[in-house]
Amino acid sequence: MKTAHADEINYDSIPMTQISYSDSTIHTWGMIVQDNAIYLNYNNDPKGQGTTTFQGYGFNFKLGDQQAVMNIDSSDSGNIPTKLGDTRSIKFQTNNYSSNIQEKITGTILVSDNGNSDKPAQILHIKIPMSTLVKDPSLVNKVELNNPNLGGGTLVSDGASTSPVLSVSIAVIAVLVIGFFVYRKKRRVA
């Protein structure tokens, strides 16, 4: 079992999109791909309408030509916090049926003030390592997420993770610097 904790990024820095599931139900979603991981930020009731409860099911990912699903683990489906100020670590199960990858990961659900003290917002912060969804994350350059609470819409993160590009860039710079000093030393010796 792989455990990835959601506190490795500032979730407030993820751009959020407001989704109207119906006239009376609004959610906000944000997703970024960074360092071969998907960071998901989902608020089930930011406007305090009090018409929804957190649903941890039906996170359907398309990663290149692979498809995977994420659902709350059955052992934690009754542990979702509901009282203002509560925070809990919750397990989710990921499945990629075509490559037979199944993993458990841990996210954080926190209950935040939204102006409705009877039904405050439940917010999911979760880091999903791409290796829990696909065998070769380096081949994924586009991530799409569908969920019933996206109102028929899709969240899309286009472009590969920045860490491989950064590593290659650092290696190229190191070779150039070493080459310069070797060239300079040979020139002085001659």
Side-chain angles (χ1 to χ4, degrees):
M1 182 173 86
K2 293 182 183 178
T3 302
H5 295 284
D7 56 2
E8 298 172 18
I9 193 169
N10 177 3
Y11 281 85
D12 291 335
S13 70
I14 298 175
M16 299 293 281
T17 300
Q18 183 172 296
I19 305 292
S20 296
Y21 181 70
S22 69
D23 291 341
S24 62
T25 306
I26 294 173
H27 307 286
T28 55
W29 290 82
M31 178 177 73
I32 60 171
V33 177
Q34 181 175 304
D35 301 324
N36 284 322
I38 300 165
Y39 293 89
L40 185 62
N41 189 356
Y42 164 56
N43 184 327
N44 77 316
D45 192 9
K47 302 285 186 183
Q49 295 170 302
T51 56
T52 62
T53 56
F54 181 82
Q55 293 178 346
Y57 300 94
F59 295 90
N60 298 298
F61 292 93
K62 183 176 179 190
L63 307 109
D65 65 348
Q66 297 282 304
Q67 301 224 0
V69 66
M70 182 180 80
N71 294 305
I72 196 165
D73 191 66
S74 59
S75 66
D76 268 351
S77 61
N79 293 330
I80 297 172
T82 57
K83 293 183 181 171
L84 188 61
D86 281 356
T87 300
R88 288 195 196 141
S89 294
I90 301 290
K91 290 183 186 69
F92 286 79
Q93 175 78 43
T94 64
N95 289 298
N96 181 328
Y97 298 109
S98 61
S99 62
N100 205 24
I101 297 173
Q102 297 181 341
E103 299 285 350
K104 288 187 182 180
I105 59 174
T106 302
T108 301
I109 297 179
L110 54 107
V111 185
S112 177
D113 188 13
N114 60 4
N116 184 341
S117 59
D118 292 332
K119 293 195 176 180
Q122 293 162 310
I123 301 168
L124 170 65
H125 293 167
I126 190 165
K127 174 187 176 184
I128 308 160
M130 290 221 276
S131 61
T132 65
L133 301 173
V134 293
K135 285 187 179 178
D136 190 352
S138 67
L139 299 176
V140 176
N141 62 2
K142 184 176 183 181
V143 175
E144 298 177 45
L145 170 63
N146 289 296
N147 183 277
N149 288 321
L150 276 165
T154 301
L155 283 181
V156 178
S157 181
D158 225 343
S161 177
T162 57
S163 63
V165 175
L166 184 61
S167 299
V168 170
S169 300
I170 290 170
V172 168
I173 290 168
V175 167
L176 290 174
V177 168
I178 292 167
F180 171 75
F181 285 116
V182 168
Y183 170 77
R184 197 169 161 199
K185 184 176 181 182
K186 283 183 180 180
R187 195 168 158 209
R188 285 185 181 169
V189 172

